[in-house]
Amino acid sequence: MKHTLYRLLLLILTPLLTQAQKTASIREYDKTYKTYPFSDPDPVPAQRIYPYFRYDGFTDKPVSQQWKVVELENDFIKVMILPQIGGKIWTAIDKKTGKPFLYDNGVVKFRDIAMRGPWTSGGIEANYGIIGHTPNCATPVDYLLRKNADNSVSCFISTLDLLTRTKWTLEINLPADKAYFITRSFWHNSTPVVQPYYSWMNLGIKTGADLRFLYPGTNYIGHDGKPSPWPTDIEHNKNLSYYAQNDFGADKSFHVLGKHSNYLGAYWQQEDFGMIRYANREDKLGKKVFLWALSNQGKIWEQLLTDSSGQYCEIQSGRLFNQNAENSSLTPFRQVGFQPYASDIWEEYWFPFRETGGFTDASLHAVIYARQTANSLAVALSPLETMTDSLKVYDAAGQVLYSKQVQLQPLTAARYTIPLKTGEQAAKIVLGDAITLLDTATTIKDLARPLTGPATFHQDGAYGLYMMGRDLLRFRDYGAGEKKIRAALAVDPAFVPALVEMAFIQYRKMQYDSSFYFARYALGIDTYDPGANYYYGLAAAKLGRYYDALDGLEVATLTPAFRSAAYTELSRLYLKQQDFAKGYAYAVKSCLDNQGNINGWLQQAIACRLSGKVPEAARAREKILKMDPLNHFAQFEQYLQQKNEADKKAFQSMIRNELPQETYLEMAAWYHTIGQITAAQEILDLAPANAEIAYWKAYLHRQDADSAAYINAAGNASPDMVFPFREESAPVMQWAMETTQQWQPRYYLALIYLFRNDSAKGRALLEDIPATVTFAPLYSLKARLYNATEKDQQLANLTRAATLNPKEWRYGKMLTEHLVAEKSYQAALKTITPYQQSAPQHYITGMLYIRCLILNNQYTAAEKALRDIHILPYEGATDGRQLYRKVKLMLAMEALQQQRYKVALEKVAEARRWPLNLGAGEPYAANKHEQLEDAVVALINERNRHTNETATKALLAQINNL
């Protein structure tokens, strides 16, 4: 009896003891990858992505390059992270089989895919901010390694997104005893205004003829929000959830929806292997599949993005239902804004499964496959954890058909055959707290959410125009958004939501008096409108109307949507007044309904430090670091509290992103806005040398004897690649303009205004800069600001830029394109030719050179240049192939007019080809659109019999329009 009890006790405790012994490890090391690097940063201030800049240099010549690798490992899986490439999770591997369950690219091959250019395929890429691959996806981010008290390990990656001034931190956590890893996102809007809202995780997986996408749904929508059935494509009679059945059309994007589910994933049937991404549904509503075309149009990207790792596709998860383009706002799938001082927190789980024979459902306990026959139910499990629990099967009436105690080990398949009596049918399987509904009950999860809008809604009404404007503003298209908001007010001048948006627009443009006017106008209609009160308070504070600022913000606290933000701003006002007691009290209030309000906790820490309340300050810092271990403010506050070298070094050591100067400037600007001048000075004393930082130092020390030395240093600092954008830098540059005759402050202030969609003020400042300045980007920027009636000024400035820096190909390209637009084709060819001759391998100038040859009717020379060029394209690019087609067809027409019919037919045949050196793969026949080629062949055959000049001229005109 004792032996029996001992064995039973041992049976129960063994899994627990085994689990307790599990450990996870984390290490950092250098690994050499064959790398195709990127280069050539753009010195000209950008438009859409400002203050970021593009990289335009790509190569097909690899080098060996060392990269930092952070590796997380337990007994079941291994995860590799590359913090110098955006913190990308490079791959994850099932250790028993050695198979990656994320696409594992054997090379680092940068290609022009992202908004800033360079991007690599594979792994998991985290995106936050605006639509597109995040600006930091190919460059270093801040990162931190940590061993946790629960024996798990974590790597944190983080950076400041300059486009939105929001900060994101991603924890990649590997538990010691689970066959999954977890990603936890913490994203904070630290600004007082609404920001764009976009967040998607892009996961690369290998393709294959047996690949099936595990995406429960009834429909999919495109980037435009328009719905189509899922998974069946009715027109082509294809099941889109099977990779191989997407063998038609071009590249595809499916945002799948219509069923309530917590997972998405993939299954390779022949390998009996798959992977799952699991999350609470509210954490990630969006589920997307992206495929390159299965024709050569898509296969070319396999060669462009890897050497030998094979083709990949992407399965993606997003906070919203789709990656919405502008026209999605004409559907129910509009755009969301990231509210001021809001924080979003969510987590996702990523894991492999194997040896199940198929897939039915997934939970955090196991992946399950169930197959029911007339007299049995076969259940296969791929567990994710050590587990002893009951496996139960129910019928539709809730009666238990089967119950068994099971013992499961991670990634060790378990199979059960459950006999069923005649007439019995299983409807539900329960493992622990996870419920799987079988086929008979799957329609229960179908959703009734509308996919199209009502016909009675008027897009051109006040509310429709307001919503379009609001969405455009959330896309950062501030010019178009303002036009729509003004159009809404033209329909109804008293439409309060549009008035509030106008207050926001003017506040962002630093037109604080106009912002105050629109907010006050709205309050005249509804004195309690929260948005109107909030922007009324913000604008009043900028105008020095202290009590009006208090009034607006205090009323805004009545409404939950603006309560936390208003309390945060009230705290800032009191801190600036050195009233630390009230600053602290309102900071506390700002966090009551918004525990993730980093700014609120930071303001508590500062108020306590300045009040001598050391323990309270420490608790506030600890709260921040618990949410965001890479929060530089909290680390700097620790240094300010103790003023020791260890804390200073710890603070500096964590800033290792691509643009460290922007981190220091962000911190200095923030401290300055709450009146903490000494802290701002100390921050910048630690910062790397930079022209904008030098002007800030001069401004912060303007009452000191050192001010002149700082301003001289600022004037001597290079303006190359310096792109100010913060509103806090505007008074710095205005002061510098009044203090010195240097031209740079006007240039920098103009950039700030242009970033904020105030082109009139930006242009006026640039016009005031003397013509003796020899900084080429200044003139290229000025040329962009002239309108269509000011062509002489455009030409003069572009010519000046190209003359000042003849080695910079971008100036030659801009000048050539201007000449082409003016139909000065000979001058355009003369301008671009030296650039092409000096760098014949440079395909960007090479394509423009070929275009100019065509415009000058030099088709034979263009044909030769097309043979020699090697284009590394951007996503979706077909420019080179279009030039090739036009040249071949024009040569065919020349031969036709010379009655060389055989040569003409040869040129048409060549026009139908898709040479790989031109950077575009051949699509399916149905997508080629070769009507012009067919028409030329028909004309050749007709000309064999008689002349048809009218048809010839008409066809030449069509080809010229290509």
Side-chain angles (χ1 to χ4, degrees), residues 726-747:
R726 296 172 178 86
E727 67 267 25
E728 297 93 338
S729 290
V732 174
M733 300 307 165
Q734 287 167 340
W735 169 83
M737 285 169 54
E738 298 164 0
T739 305
T740 177
Q741 295 300 310
Q742 296 168 358
W743 65 270
Q744 293 97 320
R746 282 175 173 77
Y747 172 67

Side-chain angles (χ1 to χ4, degrees), residues 418-453:
I418 300 160
L420 298 175
K421 297 177 182 178
T422 302
E424 286 185 337
Q425 191 169 27
K428 182 171 66 175
I429 301 173
V430 177
L431 176 64
D433 58 0
I435 299 172
T436 295
L437 301 178
L438 301 180
D439 291 344
T440 55
T442 51
T443 56
I444 292 174
K445 293 191 175 184
D446 287 4
L447 303 175
R449 177 175 295 276
L451 304 181
T452 57

Side-chain angles (χ1 to χ4, degrees), residues 106-121:
V107 298
V108 177
K109 205 167 190 177
F110 292 106
R111 289 294 177 256
D112 191 356
I113 297 286
M115 65 178 79
R116 293 183 64 198
W119 183 84
T120 58
S121 62

Side-chain angles (χ1 to χ4, degrees), residues 178-179 351-354 356 364-368 380-387 407-414 431:
K178 305 290 193 295
F351 48 86
F353 68 94
R354 50 182 155 87
T356 57
L364 293 181
H365 298 312
V367 169
I368 186 169
L381 301 174
S382 181
L384 301 171
E385 60 182 350
T386 300
M387 184 177 185
Q407 292 183 345
L408 305 174
Q409 294 296 319
L411 296 183
T412 300
L431 176 64

Side-chain angles (χ1 to χ4, degrees), residues 609 636-637 640 668 671 676-684:
R609 173 173 60 81
F636 188 65
E637 278 294 309
L640 291 178
Y671 276 111
Q676 294 301 301
I677 308 303
T678 302
Q681 292 171 337
E682 291 193 53
I683 278 283
L684 294 184

Side-chain angles (χ1 to χ4, degrees), residues 48 60 76 118 182 243 307 392 454 537 549 600 626 639 763 769 772 780 868 926:
R48 180 174 177 266
D60 57 359
F76 316 110
I182 309 164
Y243 175 79
D307 282 359
K392 296 180 179 180
K626 185 175 181 180
Y639 162 69
R763 175 173 165 171
I769 296 175
T772 54
S780 64
D868 297 338

Side-chain angles (χ1 to χ4, degrees), residues 829-850:
L829 180 58
K830 184 178 179 180
T831 299
I832 197 62
T833 296
Y835 293 93
Q836 191 275 335
Q837 290 176 343
S838 64
Q841 77 286 353
H842 192 258
Y843 56 86
I844 299 175
T845 50
M847 284 195 292
L848 184 54
Y849 170 70
I850 292 166

